[in-house]
């Protein structure tokens, strides 16, 4: 089963973006990821949407699961039990993991200045840029790429790519704000400076209605949704189709771009330097 999933990862739809390279050794991949020397996806202006996906990295991570040996760890009052390869890690000096039940899994990389509020979880392969705030009850899923100066507000879910398998990880670029309770799933790409309002749910195949440019932005399985830079996205609704639904006043949840980010918006979502 693992071998099949590892092979599938290497044949993922975004694989053409990745240059030919020898397979990565699962014995070293977690150390390389933790150190930030390898990423599951990396900025590349020549690649589709400016990001080059590394299916070989995901394949190597899956290879680490072939050893079922369990291990246990105790950190203060907390006990952890996982595959032996996936020890919870200290992300290093210059990062803050505030006490209270958070865990950073082996293979995750946090740049200096990152703050993780409790309880939160950062999964294998995730990369988090400098001075980003991971607020309480946030899940950063496997291989997710979070830029610098991002705020993931309380209760945000960033989906992963290992299970269920997905090709492109969720990507949130520099300076974006993701409001409380939002969910970003299935490879959605949030461009720099975008503001995602509280409670927004976006997947790779979502339909986004742009009220400013009067257009619809859609994603597909092979080409997940891209949210433009410096826009403000909020939850909305549209009428459900059909006479039966109309007679009952039914509507369907959707998402709306309501404006461009301006000075007022930037002030409301600014990170507090004193907390860094």
């Amino acid at each position: 089963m693992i071998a099949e999933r590892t092979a599938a990862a290497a044949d993922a739809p975004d694989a053409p973006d990745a240059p030919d390279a020898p397979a990565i050794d699962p014995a070293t991949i977690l150390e390389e990821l933790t150190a930030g020397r390898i990423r599951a996806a990396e900025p590349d202006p020549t690649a589709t949407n400016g990001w080059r996906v590394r299916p070989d990295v995901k394949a190597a991570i899956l290879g680490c699961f072939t050893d079922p040996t369990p291990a246990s760890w105790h950190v203060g009052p907390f006990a952890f039990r996982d595959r032996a390869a996936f020890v919870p890690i200290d992300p290093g000096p210059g990062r803050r993991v505030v006490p209270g039940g958070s865990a950073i899994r082996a293979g995750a990389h946090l740049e200096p200045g990152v703050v993780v509020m409790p309880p939160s979880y950062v999964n294998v392969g995730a990369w988090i840029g400098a001075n980003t705030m991971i607020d309480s009850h946030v899940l950063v899923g496997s291989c997710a790429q979070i830029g610098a100066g991002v705020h993931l507000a309380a209760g945000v879910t960033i989906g992963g790519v290992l299970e269920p398998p997905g090709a492109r990880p969720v990507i949130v670029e520099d300076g974006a704000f993701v409001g409380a309770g939002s969910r970003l799933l299935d490879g959605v790409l949030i461009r720099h400076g975008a503001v995602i309002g509280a409670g927004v749910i976006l997947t790779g195949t979502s339909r986004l209605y742009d009220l400013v440019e009067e257009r619809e932005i859609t994603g597909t399985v092979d080409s997940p949704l891209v949210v433009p830079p410096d826009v403000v996205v909020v939850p909305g609704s549209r009428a459900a189709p059909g006479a039966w639904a109309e007679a009952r006043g039914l509507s369907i949840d959707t998402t709306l771009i309501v404006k461009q980010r301006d000075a007022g918006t930037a002030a409301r979502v600014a990170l507090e330097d004193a907390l860094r």
Side-chain angles (χ1 to χ4, degrees):
M1 178 66 73
I2 290 292
E4 293 174 358
R5 288 167 58 194
T6 303
D11 294 333
D14 275 347
D17 271 352
D20 293 336
I24 300 173
D25 185 355
T28 62
I29 184 60
L30 296 181
E31 178 182 350
E32 295 293 297
L33 286 167
T34 300
R37 292 187 290 265
I38 289 179
R39 296 173 62 170
E42 52 201 19
D44 183 344
T46 69
T48 302
N49 291 317
W51 284 86
R52 185 173 300 281
V53 176
R54 294 285 306 272
D56 56 333
V57 171
K58 185 168 67 172
I61 293 172
L62 289 171
C64 295
F65 285 90
T66 58
D67 180 3
T69 304
S72 298
W73 304 272
H74 290 82
V75 181
F78 301 104
F80 301 88
R81 187 169 180 83
D82 199 353
R83 299 284 176 91
F86 295 98
V87 56
I89 62 168
D90 177 346
R95 294 84 165 164
R96 291 172 53 206
V97 181
V98 178
S102 296
I104 315 297
R105 204 178 195 189
H109 175 76
L110 279 60
E111 288 281 280
V114 171
V115 178
V116 181
M117 299 299 292
S120 293
Y121 185 72
V122 182
N123 207 349
V124 58
W127 192 98
I128 301 176
N131 299 316
T132 283
M133 168 64 80
I134 308 298
D135 220 327
S136 300
H137 297 277
V138 169
L139 167 65
V140 181
S142 54
C143 298
Q145 304 294 298
I146 310 297
V150 170
H151 188 164
L152 302 182
V156 165
T157 297
I158 306 293
V161 295
L162 297 184
E163 191 174 60
R168 186 173 78 187
V170 173
I171 300 170
V172 181
E173 293 184 343
D174 295 353
F177 176 89
V178 184
S182 295
R183 300 179 185 179
L184 306 179
L185 310 168
D186 301 335
V188 63
L189 168 56
I190 309 298
R191 289 293 196 195
H192 63 83
V195 175
I196 308 301
V200 167
I201 299 175
L202 290 171
T203 73
T205 56
S206 289
R207 185 182 302 270
L208 181 58
Y209 293 88
D210 187 345
L211 303 183
V212 178
E213 300 293 336
E214 297 184 345
R215 57 177 175 165
E216 296 180 16
I217 305 171
T218 59
T220 67
V221 172
D222 293 333
S223 182
L225 177 71
V226 177
V227 175
D230 297 312
V231 297
V232 177
V233 179
V234 302
S237 63
R238 59 188 178 91
W244 191 87
E246 181 180 0
R248 289 157 179 80
L250 301 180
S251 61
I252 299 171
D253 290 340
T254 188
T255 49
L256 310 172
I257 295 176
V258 292
K259 67 174 186 176
Q260 292 291 120
R261 180 170 177 159
D262 55 24
T265 303
R268 286 193 294 275
V269 301
L271 296 173
E272 176 55 68
D273 290 339
L275 298 177
R276 297 299 170 280

